[in-house]
Amino acid sequence: MKKVYIETMGCQMNKSDAERMYGMLEHCGYTQVIEPKDADMLIVNTCSIRKLSEDKAYSQIGVWGKWKKNKPSLKIVFAGCVAQQGGKEVFKRAPYVDLVLGTQRLYELPNLVKRIEEGDRIASYDEIPFEETDIKINRVKGTNAWIPIMEGCNNFCTYCIVPYTRGRERSRKPELIIAEAKKALSEGFKEITLLGQNVDSYGKDLEPYQNLSWLLKQINDIEGKFRIRFVTNYPTDITDELIDTVIESDKVCEYFHIPMQSGDDYTLKKMNRRYDLKTYKKICDHIRSRVKDVTITSDFIAGFPGETEEQFENTLKAMSELELDYSNTAAYSPREGTVAAKWKDLYIPEEVKAERLARLNEHNRECCLISNKKYIGREMEVLIENFEIRKNGNKVITGRTRNNKIVHIPYENDITGEFINVKITNARTWYLNGEVL
């Protein structure tokens, strides 16, 4: 068989896409390899959420382009969000690329591979999605199976490129999702994570209409011991029905990832987010009042165009006031095609953005430690994800609680994939320590 290597950048949606590509390529006569230099086909699955990610993708294929000089038969595929946005322009920047594959044409890959093997150079990035087929998925071995339930976003936040690269919201057919979940569980996975840029919108375009709560209940009814998670939520789209489903479904985890992006009301308005601090806090308070031991995590951007020092400090205050358990953080990165990228006269100097991001990260660490300390002395169920023999000879298993807290536990044997009860003995910034009961 021919050999293929995929370099995946960015979010879990991209990782899920890579697993699908590996499955489709197996039907085309390719087998997966872990060393790119062994491959007959190289694919970079790109992310365009920040310029640094885009630059990294082009740098990667630049290296591969040099390899192609010594191996002319080598096929190079530029896929993902940057491909969807760049289209044929990718060929001008990287003439050694054989195929540009946009996010919405993923399932066209088998047909396109045959054509590039015959010598064609193709850019497929049409905004009309290529219809999904029932395909094999070569998942990365582990405990968690990532399953996309929808693509795209209709919110058009002024900083975000996703609606332009992933398109408008489109829900997958529920029968495909449920079948994929059953298959993953039969292969030994112990956790199902449902993915979407805005999972709360699932089903709005389906006939008959079936929402996220309905889908969670269907998967919850599958026999066996496993967990279910879902990401990402848009704050004001979280319903009482969804909260009820989390409470009533024994396999659905007590975890909500709810990006806020800024703690300042004026900045939120400039970002085109449909809420203010008061509304977001009301949502978090409502969830916490109903869901025991719930973890709420968020996203924040430092240095959004026009952000003042006072407005940035409002974000720091909000992180504390909201008692967030963890937050993803990033400095603002202008993305061509978005509204905010046009506000060049409002751009924050790079050194100021870097300084604010450092402070944001430090505050995030403080909030995480405060959150983790709440669990010292508690008994919790942990799904083991990893076994490690450290340099000092200590053997440690690592897993997650239902509410997504990472726990390190001294243990002699590899019991990856098992559920165990643990007593939390200590709290660190990013994880908990525990001992087996």
Side-chain angles (χ1 to χ4, degrees):
M1 295 182 74
K2 292 165 284 189
K3 300 172 183 177
V4 60
Y5 171 84
I6 303 178
E7 180 73 31
T8 298
M9 303 173 178
C11 67
Q12 298 300 338
M13 188 72 80
N14 272 15
K15 294 178 182 178
S16 176
D17 286 349
E19 292 175 340
R20 284 161 167 70
M21 284 192 276
Y22 275 129
M24 286 185 278
L25 288 168
E26 188 170 307
H27 290 287
C28 299
Y30 285 84
T31 185
Q32 178 181 348
V33 293
I34 59 173
E35 292 295 335
K37 287 199 172 183
D38 295 334
D40 302 293
M41 178 181 292
L42 295 167
I43 302 175
V44 61
N45 193 15
T46 63
C47 172
S48 62
I49 200 72
R50 288 185 284 276
K51 188 176 187 303
L52 180 63
S53 301
E54 181 176 337
D55 292 342
K56 184 179 178 182
Y58 278 109
S59 176
Q60 181 63 76
I61 60 168
V63 173
W64 294 348
K66 294 176 182 177
W67 294 359
K68 193 167 184 175
K69 292 179 181 179
N70 298 321
K71 188 180 179 181
S73 63
L74 179 66
K75 301 301 180 184
I76 299 177
V77 180
F78 195 76
C81 292
V82 181
Q84 182 70 37
Q85 189 179 20
K88 290 182 180 179
E89 294 298 312
V90 174
F91 289 140
K92 295 180 181 179
R93 185 166 176 177
Y96 35 80
V97 168
D98 298 281
L99 170 62
V100 177
L101 181 69
T103 55
Q104 302 187 54
R105 309 301 292 179
L106 178 70
Y107 296 100
E108 192 183 8
L109 180 61
N111 298 335
L112 299 177
V113 165
K114 293 176 183 177
R115 290 176 59 187
I116 65 172
E117 287 178 336
E118 294 170 356
D120 289 349
R121 295 178 74 227
I122 308 162
S124 182
Y125 55 97
D126 196 290
E127 291 187 2
I128 300 174
F130 194 86
E131 187 174 354
E132 177 182 355
T133 55
D134 186 13
I135 60 165
K136 179 179 178 181
I137 301 169
N138 289 359
R139 295 192 184 279
V140 176
K141 290 183 179 179
T143 57
N144 190 3
W146 302 85
I147 300 180
I149 64 171
M150 63 179 303
E151 284 225 36
C153 184
N154 294 347
N155 289 320
F156 287 92
C157 302
T158 56
Y159 55 83
C160 186
I161 196 67
V162 167
Y164 307 95
T165 58
R166 291 278 179 177
R168 306 301 177 266
E169 292 173 350
R170 307 180 306 282
S171 303
R172 291 181 72 202
K173 295 176 181 178
E175 59 268 25
L176 291 175
I177 298 168
I178 294 167
E180 189 175 331
K182 289 180 177 178
K183 183 70 164 54
L185 294 169
S186 72
E187 293 171 349
F189 289 88
K190 300 293 184 174
E191 192 167 281
I192 301 294
T193 300
L194 306 181
L195 297 174
Q197 274 78 28
N198 181 15
V199 290
D200 307 286
S201 292
Y202 178 77
K204 289 181 179 179
D205 54 338
L206 294 177
E207 292 184 9
Y209 168 66
Q210 306 286 7
N211 63 13
L212 176 61
S213 296
W214 176 87
L215 181 62
L216 287 169
K217 291 173 185 175
Q218 300 304 304
I219 298 175
N220 192 78
D221 286 342
I222 300 172
E223 290 187 7
K225 170 78 171 174
F226 65 94
R227 294 174 175 173
I228 308 168
R229 302 188 190 277
F230 52 91
V231 289
T232 297
N233 297 97
Y234 191 90
T236 52
D237 290 342
I238 298 171
T239 63
D240 276 331
E241 182 187 11
L242 179 60
I243 297 170
D244 288 340
T245 301
V246 173
I247 296 169
E248 297 165 3
S249 304
D250 62 310
K251 296 167 186 171
V252 179
C253 293
E254 297 78 13
Y255 172 68
F256 286 81
H257 182 66
I258 316 173
M260 189 184 191
Q261 307 302 359
S262 173
D264 177 74
D265 288 349
Y266 180 78
T267 304
L268 287 169
K269 188 174 182 179
K270 293 288 288 183
M271 288 178 167
N272 195 33
R273 303 290 284 182
R274 304 191 308 271
Y275 52 85
D276 54 17
L277 173 61
K278 182 179 179 180
T279 302
Y280 186 95
K281 186 176 187 304
K282 184 177 179 181
I283 293 165
C284 292
D285 289 346
H286 182 57
I287 293 172
R288 287 200 181 98
S289 71
R290 302 202 56 215
V291 184
K292 183 182 178 182
D293 288 335
V294 69
T295 289
I296 298 178
T297 59
S298 192
D299 296 345
F300 287 97
I301 296 170
F304 185 74
E307 179 187 68
T308 66
E309 173 62 22
E310 181 181 359
Q311 289 166 348
F312 172 71
E313 288 179 0
N314 285 339
T315 292
L316 299 181
K317 293 174 185 176
M319 289 177 73
S320 297
E321 182 181 346
L322 295 165
E323 298 181 8
L324 295 169
D325 298 281
Y326 171 80
S327 298
N328 298 314
T329 61
Y332 170 75
S333 178
R335 308 312 297 130
E336 185 178 350
T338 62
V339 173
K342 301 174 183 177
W343 301 337
K344 295 184 178 180
D345 57 325
L346 298 176
Y347 281 6
I348 304 297
E350 290 299 320
E351 61 272 18
V352 176
K353 285 198 295 185
E355 187 269 340
R356 287 181 183 173
L357 179 60
R359 286 159 61 196
L360 188 64
N361 287 337
E362 179 57 33
H363 203 67
N364 186 33
R365 284 190 282 270
E366 293 171 3
C367 292
C368 291
L369 184 57
I370 291 170
S371 170
N372 285 345
K373 284 182 176 180
K374 296 175 184 177
Y375 295 94
I376 296 175
R378 293 280 304 277
E379 295 180 8
M380 308 185 79
E381 180 191 72
V382 175
L383 170 58
I384 302 304
E385 299 178 342
N386 184 51
F387 173 74
E388 177 187 6
I389 301 177
R390 297 182 172 172
K391 291 181 180 180
N392 59 9
N394 291 342
K395 297 177 181 179
V396 178
I397 51 175
T398 300
R400 289 178 192 269
T401 62
R402 284 178 59 95
N403 62 353
N404 212 35
K405 294 290 186 179
I406 297 173
V407 187
H408 295 313
I409 310 142
Y411 203 73
E412 287 297 309
N413 302 314
D414 185 354
I415 54 172
T416 297
E418 294 188 21
F419 294 89
I420 63 172
N421 292 321
V422 169
K423 181 176 181 180
I424 305 304
T425 57
N426 195 17
R428 306 284 186 176
T429 301
W430 307 122
Y431 62 89
L432 303 170
N433 293 115
E435 57 185 26
V436 178
L437 291 172

